[in-house]
Amino acid sequence: MSTEPYKNVHLLNQSNQLVGLYTIIRDKNTARPDFIFYSDRIIRLLVEEGLNHLPVEPLTVRTHTDKPFDGVSFIGKICGVSIVRAGESMEEGLRDCCRSVRIGKILIQRDEETAKPKLFFEKLPEDIAQRYVFLLDPMLATGGSAIMATDVLIKRGVKPERIYFLNLICSKEGIDKYHAAFPDVKIVTGAIDQGLDENRYLIPGLGDFGDRYYCL
Ligand code: URA
């Protein structure tokens, strides 16, 4: 898996551990408790990787040996925005790393008449334009909802370079479309899949993430 043509796609290191986690969640015989547990582990890695890219400034502290340690401190504030429903599965992983982080929500669903994605609901932190935003959605398939959600953020004043789109699996065509629309948004992902089937499921993918995490 290569991120060659893309300026801002950060693919998690494809270690045996990571591929092992994906093997479990992609397996159709994995039951829901394990699907949740191992997806949560990947989500945690995605959040940590996103945090790796936030800007820092130098900070020197004194240790218990009364010696200086020249470290760094994060600059700026962050928030999460989940694309309902599957994106909500990633909120806890963000909270585990960023205590009491503010989290907004965007609900996009396919319009029955036009078959195009339609914005139904948005609730975002008031000061979102001043924050780094972790946009949460586990699967990037056609890119339609992610592009609409990112447009909502940009209309609210968030700079594209301050948006980190975290997902577990992307399709190549989803990345192409999303990256063409927002070349400055950072995509943090753990897998790039071959494509989509006739029902717009990722191949090989893992099926419907929201159903497997919340229902099945
Ligand atoms: N959403 C999913 O849950 N799975 C896919 O394969 C594509 C979109």
Side-chain angles (χ1 to χ4, degrees):
M1 266 185 275
S2 155
T3 59
E4 203 52 66
Y6 311 112
K7 170 171 85 152
N8 273 321
V9 177
H10 301 279
L11 180 66
L12 293 183
N13 176 26
Q14 299 295 297
S15 63
N16 284 340
Q17 181 193 191
L18 185 76
V19 177
L21 297 174
Y22 274 94
T23 307
I24 297 171
I25 65 165
R26 285 180 187 274
D27 185 343
K28 69 175 185 183
N29 294 314
T30 296
R32 197 169 145 257
D34 279 343
F35 183 82
I36 294 171
F37 182 81
Y38 292 104
S39 295
D40 286 349
R41 284 193 53 197
I42 297 172
I43 290 164
R44 177 70 183 250
L45 295 172
L46 292 168
V47 172
E48 299 281 7
E49 179 60 20
L51 294 173
N52 280 339
H53 296 279
L54 289 177
V56 293
E57 61 188 1
L59 177 69
T60 301
V61 294
R62 289 201 88 74
T63 73
H64 268 280
T65 57
D66 210 25
K67 298 284 183 246
F69 173 77
D70 296 325
V72 296
S73 166
F74 289 117
I75 307 172
K77 293 187 285 187
I78 74 158
C79 71
V81 173
S82 61
I83 303 181
V84 180
R85 142 190 89 150
E88 291 173 301
S89 65
M90 302 173 76
E91 294 178 0
E92 205 55 46
L94 180 59
R95 281 204 197 89
D96 285 345
C97 298
C98 309
R99 206 171 16 166
S100 66
V101 64
R102 289 179 193 187
I103 297 184
K105 307 228 182 217
I106 293 178
L107 173 62
I108 293 165
Q109 282 181 335
R110 197 179 309 170
D111 188 303
E112 295 297 331
E113 279 166 23
T114 65
K116 296 215 165 94
K118 183 172 169 191
L119 176 66
F120 279 85
F121 172 83
E122 59 173 285
K123 185 80 188 164
L124 302 170
E126 284 294 314
D127 59 350
I128 193 163
Q130 277 79 56
R131 293 177 181 265
Y132 291 86
V133 179
F134 280 17
L135 179 63
L136 309 173
D137 197 10
M139 309 291 275
L140 172 60
T142 60
S145 320
I147 288 174
M148 187 170 270
T150 307
D151 265 332
V152 170
L153 299 178
I154 290 172
K155 283 201 186 102
R156 286 286 299 263
V158 183
K159 294 198 180 76
E161 60 272 22
R162 285 181 167 230
I163 301 173
Y164 296 71
F165 177 31
L166 272 46
N167 59 71
L168 283 85
I169 310 181
C170 296
S171 72
K172 276 204 166 58
E173 71 172 80
I175 288 200
D176 283 340
K177 220 164 126 193
Y178 188 86
H179 196 263
F182 309 109
D184 294 326
V185 172
K186 294 169 193 61
I187 300 178
V188 180
T189 188
I192 301 173
D193 273 11
Q194 293 145 22
L196 303 174
D197 70 9
E198 62 284 5
N199 299 313
R200 299 183 183 159
Y201 280 102
L202 284 146
I203 302 170
L206 50 70
D208 188 304
F209 188 94
D211 280 356
R212 294 193 65 192
Y213 197 95
Y214 289 115
C215 303
L216 291 180

